[in-house]
Structures are given as structure tokens and as C-alpha cells.
Amino acid sequence: MSNVVLLALTGLGLGALYFLIASGLSLIFGLADVLNFAHGLFLAVGAYGTWWSSAHLGFGFVPAVVFGVVAGTATAVLVEMLLIRPLYRRTIEQVLVTVGLSLAGVALLQAAFGADPLTFPRPEWATGTTRIFGAIVPNDRFLLIGAAVVVLAAIQVFLRRTRFGLIVRAGVEDRTMVTALGINVRTAFTLVFAIGGAAAALAGALAGVYFGNVSPGQGTSLLIFAFIVVVIGGMGSVTGSAVAAVLVGLVQQFTSFYAAAGVGEASVVLLLAVVLLARPGGLAGRAT
Amino acid sequence: MTTTTDASGTVTADDVRPRPASPRRRWLRRGLPVAAFAVLAILPFSTVDLPALLPGQVNSPGSLQLLAICLVFAGLAATYDLLFGRTGLLSFGHALYVALGSYTVNVAVTKLGLALPAALLLAVLVGLVVPALLGAVALRVNGIAFAMVTLATAQLGSIVVMSDPGRLTGGEEGLPLSPDAIPGFLSGVANTANLYWLALGYLVVVLAVIAWVVESEPGRVWQAIRENERRMSVLGLPPYRFRLLAFVIASFLATLGGVVHLFLVGGSSPQITTSNFTLAFLVMVVLGGTGSRWGAMLGGVLYTYLDHRLAALGTSDAVAGLPEVLRAPLSEPLFVLGVLFIVMVYFLPGGLASLTARLRGRTK
């Protein structure tokens, strides 16, 4: 029983991390058709921003995370405005540019901070454990799950209750129509990049807490699983991403524990194959 | 497909039919590549010293090794272009097949004690069966979903290799090729020239196969699928089967490339299983120019050469004299390549292969 609780909470924590990355990816893909490989870079900027402000500016944990998130958001907005926007409607080129960015950006971080993992500043309370139903659960799991729930709620409120959210939702459904109605979708592009960048940067900071260290390549490996989550959940759907993230996190944790290391990843890939063959549009996708 | 129109604006039969090239141009098209490959073939006999470009004399082992690696990657880039440029399949899992070739032969001879011919036969078999099976599933979906499925399967391969099942793959350390298993003419620094010819042979075979299939009936269907998929299925040519054919051919050639790569670097490293390895092929193909005869090859050579030489440049005196802000990024080859790649996407979308057409257009 205690094993099950621990595995479930760890799986949910991992799922929370995937969701934070996948939600932005999904929105960006849904609205702008850009498969954003630079998302791993936003994540890394968030992680290194948090680490740097804590190590060099002496920030506490929360201000350091805020600093990291602001840095990640700023990077995302700059990337959208300077590099993605000029290639409007040329989606293959946009994807290629984000691929180039992810290569160059990770290399730049490696040049600045070194290739070795750096020890991440973890707050006192995140290193402790809590007993739940007989299981000893590290506190950082709750931090991850809490952050993901807050972000999910915030994105939902933004999408359902604000005017910009309405434009984003309409743009995901049918961008041509929204443009034809005289609404400038490009502002919404910048907005989804900002939201995605902020969520990814937060994921970077929290991944630092979860893994205990930060390295330049960390974003890339997390990004692959986030891509899988986006595809399983259905491109463009934030709720779908949330469901898929929980599913992938749980499947990965339970199979790794009860079978063998590596089987967890294999079952995630299997899950992807099964979902795509049964519902090519993903869980939230319309059946075609 | 574009057709030119005459002055009245109507398309005539002559315009649609490919014009026979003038004898001089045809000679150039056929003769120039033959001459270039002849020069490449006799390079190991050259003692020319190109101090800035190569680590030593052209026929020194260091230079030949670098050139051979460039040639192998040129071939691998061409196999990726068969998917991306010729058929319009964006795969993020091409590295899987390179790794498949390298690790199959390596594990078979080094760990299982098979004879080299048997191991090669096994690699050929695996290189046909695995892409056929995985492709059959992955190609059920299109576009981005296909890209994601290939990414996921390749990631799975990477995780398997890293986890070192049964102590076969060597995990993160990689697996050096057992020296006893290498035939005499390929082992040792003295035989680098033979490895170079092996790499050149691989490139020639890949280019020949691709040139042949692209001109054949399936090749025309691939192009048509890329242009207008729905029309092809209405015409009764199922895109699925033709895509699968392209996928298997490209993956099989990549598997062979993995085997050549194994002999060249003397082992298998988990680096060749990563998604970044696949992204490198994408960068090469776009740098060179997609779907063209020589583009992918040029891109492969340029990328590999820069990747290796920029690392040397990063530690050279010229860069060491620069202030820290400039020196640190310049010592990271991937930073320079990534930036170069973005610049190319913006300013030369057709890649290097479009340069000649552009220059010709300007002089007209």
C-alpha cells in the first residue's frame, strides 16, 4: 500500500512536470502550427535563471523562481517576435528555426555554465518528507503537483473568462476565420509563447528541485516526453494535455517499479502507439 | 511541378516534356561528378599540406579519418533526404537505424562472438525487418504525429542502449569494437586509407541507389505524394505503401551507414542513438538543400567538417586571444552550427544547392 501511494504521488509529480511543458507546447502548436523545439531552451533558461539568481544574487527560493520564470518568459517572447514572426505561415521553416535555436541555445548555456550538472538550491521544506497512509513521500512531489494544478486553473480561467483567451480558443479552432473577422491573431501568438515560456521556465525551476541538479541537456530529454504527452492528449487541447500527462507519469512510474528500469519508457511509447492507432487525433481530438 | 508557359500564356506539350539538355550541359552533369569522385578516390595518394583546413597532410591518418567521417555523414544525410526531401516524411528517429547497424554488428562480433560475415548478414536482415515493422505502424499516421512516433521509438532505442541490457551494449560508456573482429585490411592507423575508401564506396552506393529509385516509378510517385497526396490516392496509388517503401530503403541504407561508421570510429557510442543525432541530419539536409541531387551530401560534408574543425578552432590561439564573452560560445561547435543554420533558413532557404541556380539567375 505504501508503495502504491508513493508511486502514485511520484507519478503525479512527474506528470505535473510534463504538463507544465506540454501545456505551452500544445497551445503553441494548436494556434500557430509550430512544433516548438525551442521549448527545451525556455525550460533551461528558467532552471539556470533560478540557479543563477540564487547563487549570485542571494535570492531566496521563491524570488529566485520568479526571476527564472521572468527570464524564461522574456526569452520566449523575444524568440517569437524576432525569429518566429518573420516566418509567418511558413511552418516548416519555423520548426527548423526552433530546431536551430534549441541546438545553439543549449550549446550557449553549456559554454556559459559548463556541461556538468550544477547543484540546485533546494529550500529546506522541499527536502523533507511527509507520511501519508504509511508512505514516506518527499515534499517536492506536492510542490510539483500544486504548481501544475495552479497553472492548469490559471490557463483555464484565462482561456474561458478573458477576451484574449477567447481569441486563442477561436484561433485554435479556425485561424483563417478569426483573421477574416478582422482580429489580429499575431498578438495572440506572442501571448501563447509568453504563457508557454512561463510554464516551461517554471517546469525548469521545479525540475531542478525534483532532480536536485540542473544541466544543459535536461530540457531536451524532458521535451521528448512532453511531445509524447501533447500527441496523446491531442494537439491544441490543454485539458487533453493534463489528462495525458497524468496518464504518462503514472504509467511510467508504475511499470518502472514493478517491471524493470527502461520498461517504463517502453510502455509510454506503447501507449502512444495504441492511442494514435485508435484515435489518430489524440484523446481530446475529434474522431476523423 | 511547374510548367513554363509561352507568350500567349497557354501550356504547350513541349513545355511539359523535359527539354533534352544540350550536349555540353549533359557532359557537365555526367562528367563533373565522375571527375569529382575520381579526385576523391585518389586523395589518399596526395601529400599536399593544407595547414588551416586539415590536421595534417591530406594522406595523413588524421586527415583521412576526418574526410572519411565527412563522407559517411554525407551518405547518411542523403538517406535522410530520401525521407524528408524526396518523400516529405519528417522523421525524428533516423538515428535509430544508424545505431541499429552499428550496435548489431558490434554486439554480434564483440559480445556474441559471431564471425564478421555472419554479423554483417544479421545487420542486413535487421536493417530490413525493423524498419518494415516500425514503419508499418508509424506510417499509419501523418505529418507531426508521424514525427512524434518516430521520435518516441528512437528515444526508446536510446534508453535500451543506455540501460545496457545483459551487459551487451556497454551503456553510457559505449562499446569498443573488438580488435580481433576487424579484418586486417581495415585495422590499424596504417590502413586508414582503406577505411576512407570504404566510406567513399558507401557514399557512392547511397547516391547511386537514391538516384536510381528517384528516377524509377516509385520515385515519381513519392514526388507526386509530396505535391498532392489526395490526388494520388484517388488515382489508385496508395500513399501508405509507397511511403513505407521509401522508409524501408532510407532506413536500410542508414543501417549500412551505421556499420561503416562502426568500422571508422572503432566502436559504438550511445551518442548515435540520441534525438540530437537525428536533428543533425535535419540540419545537414536543410543546409545543403532538400530534395536535390547533391544538396544533402554537401550539407553532410559541411556540417561534419565544421563540427570537427570548430572544436579544434575553439582551442586555437586565434580564439584564445578573444575576450571570454566571445571565446566561450565559439568553442561550442553546436552554437556556431545552430546560428549558421538559422541564418541559412532565413537567407538561403534552398540551401547550398540553390546557390548555383541563384548565381545563374543573377547573371542572366
Side-chain angles (χ1 to χ4, degrees):
Chain A
M1 180 62 198
S2 62
N3 270 344
V4 174
V5 173
L6 177 61
L7 286 174
L9 284 171
T10 307
L12 284 176
L14 200 59
L17 211 50
Y18 292 155
F19 167 73
L20 287 176
I21 310 167
S23 54
L25 277 178
S26 185
L27 274 181
I28 292 173
F29 185 83
L31 186 69
D33 286 334
V34 179
L35 191 65
N36 186 18
F37 271 85
H39 224 66
L41 174 66
F42 304 160
L43 185 143
V45 169
Y48 276 99
T50 309
W51 174 84
W52 185 82
S53 61
S54 161
H56 292 268
L57 303 179
F59 280 16
F61 179 68
V62 174
V65 170
V66 171
F67 184 87
V69 169
V70 169
T73 315
T75 312
V77 169
L78 280 179
V79 163
E80 198 278 331
M81 295 208 305
L82 297 179
L83 292 170
I84 306 290
R85 189 174 289 188
L87 296 172
Y88 182 60
R89 286 214 173 263
R90 288 159 60 192
T91 46
I92 288 288
E93 274 94 342
Q94 287 177 329
V95 175
L96 295 178
V97 164
T98 64
V99 166
L101 262 176
S102 75
L103 295 178
V106 170
L108 195 61
L109 286 174
Q110 193 164 319
F113 297 106
D116 298 324
L118 300 167
T119 314
F120 202 77
R122 293 205 277 186
E124 195 73 28
W125 48 266
T127 53
T129 54
T130 309
R131 282 188 81 88
I132 296 181
F133 299 120
I136 300 164
V137 183
N139 284 340
D140 53 12
R141 313 291 194 266
F142 301 110
L143 175 68
L144 290 168
I145 298 168
V149 169
V150 169
V151 168
L152 174 61
I155 293 182
Q156 289 298 356
V157 167
F158 164 76
L159 287 177
R160 308 275 159 207
R161 297 268 178 266
T162 65
R163 192 182 145 70
F164 276 116
L166 185 69
I167 296 175
V168 171
R169 272 191 298 147
V172 171
E173 289 286 323
D174 190 340
R175 195 174 63 198
T176 323
M177 192 64 195
V178 177
T179 319
L181 289 170
I183 293 162
N184 189 354
V185 188
R186 295 195 193 190
T187 339
F189 282 13
T190 318
L191 207 60
V192 290
F193 264 86
I195 295 172
L202 181 63
L206 295 180
V209 176
Y210 182 74
F211 295 115
N213 57 43
V214 47
S215 60
Q218 216 166 45
T220 319
S221 49
L222 279 171
L223 187 65
I224 292 176
F225 280 97
F227 274 139
I228 295 176
V229 165
V230 171
V231 176
I232 291 180
M235 312 243 184
S237 162
V238 173
T239 333
S241 290
V243 174
V246 169
L247 205 60
V248 167
L250 289 178
V251 164
Q252 199 178 347
Q253 282 302 319
F254 275 95
T255 45
S256 314
F257 183 79
Y258 286 109
V263 179
E265 285 79 7
S267 31
V268 169
V269 173
L270 202 65
L271 183 70
L272 172 74
V274 169
V275 168
L276 277 181
L277 291 180
R279 290 179 69 96
L283 293 178
R286 274 152 291 181
T288 44
Chain B
M1 196 176 287
T2 55
T3 48
T4 50
T5 51
D6 65 10
S8 63
T10 52
V11 181
T12 64
D14 269 345
D15 292 319
V16 181
R17 209 175 294 141
R19 285 209 193 99
S22 68
R24 187 172 155 270
R25 290 226 39 201
R26 202 182 330 159
W27 189 89
L28 265 178
R29 270 179 79 87
R30 294 269 162 85
L32 215 56
V34 171
F37 279 103
V39 170
L40 281 176
I42 56 165
L43 270 189
F45 300 112
S46 156
T47 52
V48 179
D49 202 6
L50 302 165
L53 294 176
L54 288 173
Q57 285 182 353
V58 170
N59 70 344
S60 68
S63 304
L64 281 181
Q65 171 88 6
L66 175 62
L67 290 172
I69 287 181
C70 287
L71 295 177
V72 169
F73 276 94
L76 288 173
T79 68
Y80 188 79
D81 189 47
L82 183 59
L83 290 176
F84 180 60
R86 304 283 188 179
T87 321
L89 288 173
L90 182 58
S91 161
F92 285 119
H94 209 52
L96 181 65
Y97 303 101
V98 182
L100 199 63
S102 178
Y103 274 99
T104 302
V105 171
N106 199 353
V107 169
V109 297
T110 309
K111 293 282 178 173
L112 306 178
L114 257 67
L116 189 61
L120 291 177
L121 198 66
L122 184 68
V124 167
L125 215 65
V126 168
L128 285 172
V129 172
V130 174
L133 288 179
L134 292 182
V137 176
L139 285 164
R140 296 285 293 272
V141 288
N142 281 330
I144 297 298
F146 170 78
M148 291 298 106
V149 175
T150 54
L151 178 71
T153 42
Q155 182 67 11
L156 184 59
S158 178
I159 288 166
V160 169
V161 166
M162 292 275 196
S163 66
D164 197 5
R167 301 200 150 268
L168 284 178
T169 62
E172 284 181 30
E173 308 279 306
L175 183 64
L177 182 60
S178 155
D180 313 330
I182 315 168
F185 70 98
L186 288 180
S187 70
V189 177
N191 283 323
T192 312
N194 290 336
L195 285 169
Y196 171 84
W197 279 317
L198 180 69
L200 183 63
Y202 170 70
L203 175 62
V204 170
V205 167
V206 165
L207 290 178
V209 169
I210 290 178
W212 174 63
V213 292
V214 162
E215 288 301 315
S216 69
E217 203 171 308
R220 308 221 175 253
V221 178
W222 292 335
Q223 190 187 356
I225 292 172
R226 211 181 57 212
E227 310 265 331
N228 191 340
E229 182 185 341
R230 184 168 294 174
R231 180 140 188 253
M232 278 298 110
S233 28
V234 171
L235 286 173
L237 296 165
Y240 176 77
R241 265 185 240 163
F242 284 94
R243 283 200 176 120
L244 186 58
L245 183 66
F247 189 78
V248 171
I249 294 176
S251 305
F252 176 67
L253 290 175
T255 309
L256 296 187
V259 177
V260 177
H261 186 263
L262 167 70
F263 288 120
L264 204 54
V265 299
S268 317
S269 101
Q271 224 119 53
I272 62 171
T273 66
T274 59
S275 59
N276 271 2
F277 197 66
T278 302
L279 289 185
F281 294 135
L282 181 63
V283 172
M284 289 173 197
V285 168
V286 173
L287 276 183
T290 53
S292 64
R293 188 180 294 248
W294 309 111
M297 186 196 93
L298 288 176
V301 169
L302 181 72
Y303 181 99
T304 315
Y305 176 79
L306 287 179
D307 195 17
H308 281 80
R309 289 306 286 171
L310 284 174
L313 177 77
T315 52
S316 69
D317 298 338
V319 172
L322 291 171
E324 172 70 21
V325 188
L326 283 176
R327 192 176 59 81
L330 281 181
S331 59
E332 293 286 339
L334 270 183
F335 174 75
V336 181
L337 282 167
V339 171
L340 177 68
F341 177 65
I342 294 174
V343 170
M344 286 289 278
V345 171
Y346 267 96
F347 297 107
L348 195 60
L352 291 176
S354 72
L355 262 182
T356 48
R358 284 198 170 205
L359 291 177
R360 207 177 297 143
R362 198 160 293 173
T363 49
K364 251 180 201 169

PDB file of all heavy atoms in Angstrom, chain A residues 166-184:
ATOM      1  N   LEU A 166     -10.487  33.972 -25.420  1.00  0.00           N
ATOM      2  CA  LEU A 166     -11.485  33.669 -26.447  1.00  0.00           C
ATOM      3  C   LEU A 166     -10.832  33.658 -27.825  1.00  0.00           C
ATOM      4  O   LEU A 166     -11.069  32.756 -28.640  1.00  0.00           O
ATOM      5  CB  LEU A 166     -12.592  34.724 -26.382  1.00  0.00           C
ATOM      6  CG  LEU A 166     -13.783  34.499 -27.315  1.00  0.00           C
ATOM      7  CD1 LEU A 166     -14.591  33.305 -26.860  1.00  0.00           C
ATOM      8  CD2 LEU A 166     -14.648  35.744 -27.394  1.00  0.00           C
ATOM      9  N   ILE A 167      -9.977  34.672 -28.083  1.00  0.00           N
ATOM     10  CA  ILE A 167      -9.301  34.736 -29.385  1.00  0.00           C
ATOM     11  C   ILE A 167      -8.395  33.519 -29.578  1.00  0.00           C
ATOM     12  O   ILE A 167      -8.362  32.918 -30.652  1.00  0.00           O
ATOM     13  CB  ILE A 167      -8.481  36.035 -29.498  1.00  0.00           C
ATOM     14  CG1 ILE A 167      -9.414  37.244 -29.464  1.00  0.00           C
ATOM     15  CG2 ILE A 167      -7.646  36.043 -30.769  1.00  0.00           C
ATOM     16  CD1 ILE A 167      -8.704  38.573 -29.444  1.00  0.00           C
ATOM     17  N   VAL A 168      -7.683  33.140 -28.507  1.00  0.00           N
ATOM     18  CA  VAL A 168      -6.795  31.982 -28.606  1.00  0.00           C
ATOM     19  C   VAL A 168      -7.617  30.730 -28.904  1.00  0.00           C
ATOM     20  O   VAL A 168      -7.282  29.950 -29.809  1.00  0.00           O
ATOM     21  CB  VAL A 168      -5.982  31.798 -27.308  1.00  0.00           C
ATOM     22  CG1 VAL A 168      -5.233  30.459 -27.325  1.00  0.00           C
ATOM     23  CG2 VAL A 168      -5.000  32.937 -27.124  1.00  0.00           C
ATOM     24  N   ARG A 169      -8.716  30.537 -28.174  1.00  0.00           N
ATOM     25  CA  ARG A 169      -9.526  29.342 -28.407  1.00  0.00           C
ATOM     26  C   ARG A 169     -10.084  29.332 -29.818  1.00  0.00           C
ATOM     27  O   ARG A 169     -10.067  28.308 -30.504  1.00  0.00           O
ATOM     28  CB  ARG A 169     -10.686  29.298 -27.400  1.00  0.00           C
ATOM     29  CG  ARG A 169     -10.323  28.615 -26.094  1.00  0.00           C
ATOM     30  CD  ARG A 169     -11.555  28.367 -25.263  1.00  0.00           C
ATOM     31  NE  ARG A 169     -12.219  29.611 -24.887  1.00  0.00           N
ATOM     32  CZ  ARG A 169     -13.529  29.731 -24.743  1.00  0.00           C
ATOM     33  NH1 ARG A 169     -14.310  28.707 -24.961  1.00  0.00           N
ATOM     34  NH2 ARG A 169     -14.053  30.884 -24.397  1.00  0.00           N
ATOM     35  N   ALA A 170     -10.569  30.471 -30.253  1.00  0.00           N
ATOM     36  CA  ALA A 170     -11.117  30.552 -31.613  1.00  0.00           C
ATOM     37  C   ALA A 170     -10.026  30.306 -32.647  1.00  0.00           C
ATOM     38  O   ALA A 170     -10.244  29.624 -33.652  1.00  0.00           O
ATOM     39  CB  ALA A 170     -11.755  31.918 -31.829  1.00  0.00           C
ATOM     40  N   GLY A 171      -8.823  30.839 -32.377  1.00  0.00           N
ATOM     41  CA  GLY A 171      -7.711  30.665 -33.309  1.00  0.00           C
ATOM     42  C   GLY A 171      -7.303  29.208 -33.427  1.00  0.00           C
ATOM     43  O   GLY A 171      -6.953  28.736 -34.511  1.00  0.00           O
ATOM     44  N   VAL A 172      -7.347  28.466 -32.305  1.00  0.00           N
ATOM     45  CA  VAL A 172      -7.014  27.041 -32.349  1.00  0.00           C
ATOM     46  C   VAL A 172      -8.032  26.305 -33.229  1.00  0.00           C
ATOM     47  O   VAL A 172      -7.682  25.434 -34.018  1.00  0.00           O
ATOM     48  CB  VAL A 172      -6.996  26.453 -30.923  1.00  0.00           C
ATOM     49  CG1 VAL A 172      -6.874  24.938 -30.964  1.00  0.00           C
ATOM     50  CG2 VAL A 172      -5.837  27.041 -30.126  1.00  0.00           C
ATOM     51  N   GLU A 173      -9.300  26.694 -33.121  1.00  0.00           N
ATOM     52  CA  GLU A 173     -10.350  26.042 -33.915  1.00  0.00           C
ATOM     53  C   GLU A 173     -10.196  26.351 -35.398  1.00  0.00           C
ATOM     54  O   GLU A 173     -10.181  25.455 -36.229  1.00  0.00           O
ATOM     55  CB  GLU A 173     -11.733  26.525 -33.448  1.00  0.00           C
ATOM     56  CG  GLU A 173     -12.154  26.025 -32.092  1.00  0.00           C
ATOM     57  CD  GLU A 173     -12.549  24.555 -32.114  1.00  0.00           C
ATOM     58  OE1 GLU A 173     -13.148  24.127 -33.106  1.00  0.00           O
ATOM     59  OE2 GLU A 173     -12.230  23.856 -31.145  1.00  0.00           O
ATOM     60  N   ASP A 174     -10.094  27.612 -35.730  1.00  0.00           N
ATOM     61  CA  ASP A 174     -10.068  28.007 -37.139  1.00  0.00           C
ATOM     62  C   ASP A 174      -9.404  29.376 -37.272  1.00  0.00           C
ATOM     63  O   ASP A 174     -10.055  30.413 -37.130  1.00  0.00           O
ATOM     64  CB  ASP A 174     -11.498  28.062 -37.692  1.00  0.00           C
ATOM     65  CG  ASP A 174     -11.489  28.223 -39.200  1.00  0.00           C
ATOM     66  OD1 ASP A 174     -10.456  28.652 -39.733  1.00  0.00           O
ATOM     67  OD2 ASP A 174     -12.514  27.926 -39.834  1.00  0.00           O
ATOM     68  N   ARG A 175      -8.112  29.355 -37.561  1.00  0.00           N
ATOM     69  CA  ARG A 175      -7.364  30.601 -37.555  1.00  0.00           C
ATOM     70  C   ARG A 175      -7.779  31.524 -38.704  1.00  0.00           C
ATOM     71  O   ARG A 175      -7.869  32.737 -38.555  1.00  0.00           O
ATOM     72  CB  ARG A 175      -5.861  30.305 -37.629  1.00  0.00           C
ATOM     73  CG  ARG A 175      -5.026  31.498 -37.276  1.00  0.00           C
ATOM     74  CD  ARG A 175      -3.569  31.136 -37.213  1.00  0.00           C
ATOM     75  NE  ARG A 175      -3.088  30.704 -38.502  1.00  0.00           N
ATOM     76  CZ  ARG A 175      -1.973  30.010 -38.682  1.00  0.00           C
ATOM     77  NH1 ARG A 175      -1.253  29.659 -37.639  1.00  0.00           N
ATOM     78  NH2 ARG A 175      -1.574  29.670 -39.878  1.00  0.00           N
ATOM     79  N   THR A 176      -8.044  30.912 -39.849  1.00  0.00           N
ATOM     80  CA  THR A 176      -8.403  31.713 -41.019  1.00  0.00           C
ATOM     81  C   THR A 176      -9.658  32.535 -40.747  1.00  0.00           C
ATOM     82  O   THR A 176      -9.739  33.710 -41.101  1.00  0.00           O
ATOM     83  CB  THR A 176      -8.654  30.790 -42.226  1.00  0.00           C
ATOM     84  OG1 THR A 176      -7.729  29.723 -42.162  1.00  0.00           O
ATOM     85  CG2 THR A 176      -8.500  31.537 -43.513  1.00  0.00           C
ATOM     86  N   MET A 177     -10.618  31.883 -40.125  1.00  0.00           N
ATOM     87  CA  MET A 177     -11.888  32.557 -39.845  1.00  0.00           C
ATOM     88  C   MET A 177     -11.664  33.741 -38.898  1.00  0.00           C
ATOM     89  O   MET A 177     -12.214  34.822 -39.119  1.00  0.00           O
ATOM     90  CB  MET A 177     -12.848  31.541 -39.205  1.00  0.00           C
ATOM     91  CG  MET A 177     -14.269  32.019 -39.130  1.00  0.00           C
ATOM     92  SD  MET A 177     -14.911  32.237 -40.793  1.00  0.00           S
ATOM     93  CE  MET A 177     -16.360  33.191 -40.435  1.00  0.00           C
ATOM     94  N   VAL A 178     -10.867  33.520 -37.860  1.00  0.00           N
ATOM     95  CA  VAL A 178     -10.615  34.586 -36.890  1.00  0.00           C
ATOM     96  C   VAL A 178      -9.949  35.774 -37.579  1.00  0.00           C
ATOM     97  O   VAL A 178     -10.322  36.932 -37.373  1.00  0.00           O
ATOM     98  CB  VAL A 178      -9.740  34.069 -35.724  1.00  0.00           C
ATOM     99  CG1 VAL A 178      -9.413  35.186 -34.762  1.00  0.00           C
ATOM    100  CG2 VAL A 178     -10.450  32.952 -35.000  1.00  0.00           C
ATOM    101  N   THR A 179      -8.993  35.464 -38.449  1.00  0.00           N
ATOM    102  CA  THR A 179      -8.317  36.540 -39.175  1.00  0.00           C
ATOM    103  C   THR A 179      -9.294  37.268 -40.076  1.00  0.00           C
ATOM    104  O   THR A 179      -9.292  38.496 -40.172  1.00  0.00           O
ATOM    105  CB  THR A 179      -7.178  35.964 -40.028  1.00  0.00           C
ATOM    106  OG1 THR A 179      -6.508  34.965 -39.257  1.00  0.00           O
ATOM    107  CG2 THR A 179      -6.183  37.029 -40.424  1.00  0.00           C
ATOM    108  N   ALA A 180     -10.164  36.482 -40.729  1.00  0.00           N
ATOM    109  CA  ALA A 180     -11.131  37.081 -41.646  1.00  0.00           C
ATOM    110  C   ALA A 180     -12.093  38.004 -40.920  1.00  0.00           C
ATOM    111  O   ALA A 180     -12.623  38.957 -41.499  1.00  0.00           O
ATOM    112  CB  ALA A 180     -11.919  35.973 -42.357  1.00  0.00           C
ATOM    113  N   LEU A 181     -12.334  37.737 -39.628  1.00  0.00           N
ATOM    114  CA  LEU A 181     -13.232  38.586 -38.847  1.00  0.00           C
ATOM    115  C   LEU A 181     -12.549  39.868 -38.392  1.00  0.00           C
ATOM    116  O   LEU A 181     -13.110  40.649 -37.638  1.00  0.00           O
ATOM    117  CB  LEU A 181     -13.775  37.826 -37.638  1.00  0.00           C
ATOM    118  CG  LEU A 181     -14.787  36.726 -37.973  1.00  0.00           C
ATOM    119  CD1 LEU A 181     -15.073  35.877 -36.757  1.00  0.00           C
ATOM    120  CD2 LEU A 181     -16.075  37.329 -38.521  1.00  0.00           C
ATOM    121  N   GLY A 182     -11.301  40.037 -38.825  1.00  0.00           N
ATOM    122  CA  GLY A 182     -10.623  41.295 -38.536  1.00  0.00           C
ATOM    123  C   GLY A 182      -9.925  41.327 -37.194  1.00  0.00           C
ATOM    124  O   GLY A 182      -9.614  42.397 -36.669  1.00  0.00           O
ATOM    125  N   ILE A 183      -9.675  40.136 -36.617  1.00  0.00           N
ATOM    126  CA  ILE A 183      -8.974  40.117 -35.333  1.00  0.00           C
ATOM    127  C   ILE A 183      -7.510  39.788 -35.567  1.00  0.00           C
ATOM    128  O   ILE A 183      -7.180  38.876 -36.342  1.00  0.00           O
ATOM    129  CB  ILE A 183      -9.616  39.069 -34.399  1.00  0.00           C
ATOM    130  CG1 ILE A 183     -11.031  39.517 -34.038  1.00  0.00           C
ATOM    131  CG2 ILE A 183      -8.789  38.880 -33.137  1.00  0.00           C
ATOM    132  CD1 ILE A 183     -11.893  38.431 -33.500  1.00  0.00           C
ATOM    133  N   ASN A 184      -6.620  40.551 -34.935  1.00  0.00           N
ATOM    134  CA  ASN A 184      -5.196  40.328 -35.133  1.00  0.00           C
ATOM    135  C   ASN A 184      -4.740  39.145 -34.289  1.00  0.00           C
ATOM    136  O   ASN A 184      -4.610  39.224 -33.077  1.00  0.00           O
ATOM    137  CB  ASN A 184      -4.428  41.592 -34.733  1.00  0.00           C
ATOM    138  CG  ASN A 184      -2.972  41.488 -35.125  1.00  0.00           C
ATOM    139  OD1 ASN A 184      -2.528  40.444 -35.594  1.00  0.00           O
ATOM    140  ND2 ASN A 184      -2.233  42.559 -34.922  1.00  0.00           N
TER     141      ASN A 184
END
